[in-house]
Amino acid sequence: MTMQINEIILYSNQGNIRTIPFKVGKVNIITGKSGTGKSAIIPIIDYCLGKSEFSIPDGVIRNSVAWFAIKLSINNSEVFIAKPTPKGNAASQSGAYIKIATKINTPKIDNLTINSNDDAINEYLSRVVGISPNLNDPPDNQTRNSLEANFKHTKFFLFQKQSLVANEQVLFHRQIEAFMPQAIKDTIPYFLGAVRDDTLKLKNDLRTIKRKLKALQRKISESEKLSGKGITQLSGLLEEAKAVNLVDNNIIPATNNEMLNILKDALLWDPTSLTYTENNRSNELFEERRQLLKDLKDISEQIKQLNSYEKIIGSYSEEVGSQFSRLESIGLYNEAENDHICPLCSSNLINVQPTVKEIINSMAELSNDLFTVSTEKANLNDHINKLNEILTDIKEELLEKNLKIEMLSKHQDSIDHIKDANNRKALVVGRISLFLENMISEDELALEKKEIAELKSKIAEIEKKLSRENTEELVDSILNIIGIQMTKWANYLQLEHSCFPYRLDLKNLTVVADSEERPIPMHRMGSGENWLGCHLIALLALHKFFIKKARPIPGFLVLDQPTQVYFPPEIYEGLEGDINEITDEDSIAVKRMYDLLFKVCEELYPNFQIIVFDHANLKDSKFQSSLVEEPWRNGKALIPNSWLNL
């Protein structure tokens, strides 16, 4: 999977369209003078990618633009997302328009209608970049809530605003906002691949297995309490059953198994025939027990039906997916200009046939349907697990009701005092049920003890996979790999302390150079050039790792005015993107920085895209070929002059 930016589109209040195109897999540069709108592009991208807060600067841009849009390249498809400017003085807006197809022509403003919202966009983008269900649970001694990584959290690694790109204190996008540092620390292990993609499933499995183990252990414990008086109590229960006419007095069992079967038959007595009396706790307990038995049956039937439905979904998804893959892999269709020519055999057709583009769009829709089926299957599995948990709860509650019935009977002076025959029968049935449910044969006991041992083994295995220590060890190992790359690029940029190893410090969210005397964090390194270098080597090394390991992070990085550190502020602010403004001597360090960006993009092509906004303009051929548009000066800017007069 790769997600990159094809275009940024602005719509004026009159419906005029301003398009800024970008090349995927390349370095894209917009240069020009101060005040032309370059620094508004990151907030525009962020807004279109599902951020409700409107942080695009007020003034010309807000007053001139009716809709902001972005066109994304995702695998072999395009995604168009547009959001209107908030009305009046509103500071946020969550409604959006989204379109997904193989190829999208920029729609006119009249065709833009709200058909989605930010939550749906974030959920969709989370799926398409490949973020699997996940959950970060904090350590037991911490009180913060669990956090699930989603598309919003990928933005930490995508944007470097002008105020951030060379900041000595802050490394990641939105890091200075409340709760964001912890969110970065909680989600980055997942994005690095240190947390298993099936973690959420493992946690659900662990919870289910632990509940099953607890129920089995409780059952064996109750059975062992009854051992030693099993046969005697069995005979006593038979006599009680005869006394209340649950069992015929003339029946004399020849064996213990026959006696057991007789008592099991006695349980078939229908407690619904009881005549309830006010404040009769025994009757209340039996009614609750009857309802639990009904719930047990209903839930079991639901699970059975859902398991059947899951098999049907699996078969459908596998068969249609296989057919779709065959069609897609052989590239069967070639687009024809004439709708009367068959795209398969080139013969003349009497009737106009669907165009190849329509066929391809239909295949794209089928692909989305298949993705939806996969999502439904995952949700179905989760629902089945929850029903199994409910089933276990009901069984435990049923056992608890039987125990209460037994305890209640001990407080009664004598069963002879119970004049109502139905109540006496119900009491005996409860005693029989309690005994039989907790009575385990030697063979059953051996099997259940074996199952307990197996469950404990499974629990230990899952807990090992989920071990925080294992995750922390893997994160440390990954950071060592990333640190090796950071050190190489620190040397390339000739950063201070580049003779020592550089690394990413996740605890403090900064970059550190490990000198022989002490670790040197980014904020203790001198000069903006070193701070910029730390940002670049950290973000580029992370993206290289994300791409090499196919992690679910969009494949682009946006940098706003990185070369500001190479010039005095008064000189930098005066640059207008003129190619003759920078001397060869001034451009050495700037060129070195841009050469690193070109080098990384080429190495990761076509999976990585860099977008840069700057004041500087280099004579270098690579730099010039990377310019998205002519420098923004002499009236050229993000917002066309013609829009200002409308």
Side-chain angles (χ1 to χ4, degrees), residues 11 16 44 105 122 142 169 212 217 237 253 301 342 355 365 385 413 433 452 454 503 527 564 572 585 627 639:
Y11 293 82
N16 298 318
I44 290 172
N105 294 322
N122 277 300
Q142 297 185 14
Q169 300 287 345
K212 186 175 182 180
Q217 289 174 328
L237 289 172
E301 184 62 28
C342 176
T355 65
E365 293 175 0
N385 286 336
D413 293 334
S433 175
I452 284 177
E454 291 174 350
R503 61 181 169 87
S527 85
Q564 61 185 305
Y572 183 75
E585 182 178 349
L627 290 177
I639 305 299

Side-chain angles (χ1 to χ4, degrees), residues 560-614:
D560 187 11
Q561 304 186 46
T563 62
Q564 61 185 305
V565 302
Y566 298 109
F567 304 93
E570 63 277 7
I571 293 179
Y572 183 75
E573 289 300 320
L575 296 178
E576 297 188 2
D578 191 322
I579 197 171
N580 297 312
E581 288 179 317
I582 302 177
T583 65
D584 291 340
E585 182 178 349
D586 292 333
S587 69
I588 293 175
V590 176
K591 184 177 183 304
R592 187 185 302 122
M593 183 209 75
Y594 271 105
D595 282 346
L596 175 62
L597 301 183
F598 293 131
K599 175 184 174 68
V600 174
C601 257
E602 290 168 1
E603 180 182 350
L604 301 178
Y605 182 84
N607 297 313
F608 190 49
Q609 174 190 53
I610 299 177
I611 299 173
V612 187
F613 315 125
D614 218 328

Side-chain angles (χ1 to χ4, degrees), residues 104-116:
I104 298 175
N105 294 322
T106 300
K108 295 181 178 180
I109 192 169
D110 293 339
N111 295 326
L112 300 180
T113 56
I114 300 296
N115 64 2
S116 188

Side-chain angles (χ1 to χ4, degrees), residues 503-519:
R503 61 181 169 87
L504 184 60
D505 178 1
L506 286 189
K507 181 179 180 181
N508 298 299
L509 298 180
T510 190
V511 173
V512 173
D514 288 314
S515 73
E516 294 175 352
E517 290 80 17
R518 68 186 70 83

Side-chain angles (χ1 to χ4, degrees), residues 137 140 194 196 198-199 201-211 213 454-473:
D137 289 325
D140 294 337
R196 298 170 59 100
D198 60 351
T199 294
K201 179 181 181 302
L202 287 174
K203 288 180 178 179
N204 288 333
D205 290 346
L206 181 63
R207 184 164 55 251
T208 301
I209 293 172
K210 282 186 173 181
R211 295 171 73 91
L213 175 63
E454 291 174 350
L455 291 176
K456 287 182 177 179
S457 177
K458 288 181 180 178
I459 288 172
E461 182 180 351
I462 294 176
E463 286 180 339
K464 183 178 180 180
K465 291 178 180 179
L466 296 175
S467 169
R468 181 173 295 275
E469 291 182 0
N470 287 350
T471 298
E472 291 173 352
E473 288 177 1

Side-chain angles (χ1 to χ4, degrees), residues 212-237:
K212 186 175 182 180
L213 175 63
K214 182 180 178 181
L216 272 176
Q217 289 174 328
R218 183 173 180 177
K219 182 179 180 181
I220 290 177
S221 175
E222 294 295 334
S223 176
E224 289 175 345
K225 289 179 183 179
L226 294 173
S227 65
K229 56 179 181 179
I231 301 303
T232 302
Q233 190 161 349
L234 202 63
S235 300
L237 289 172

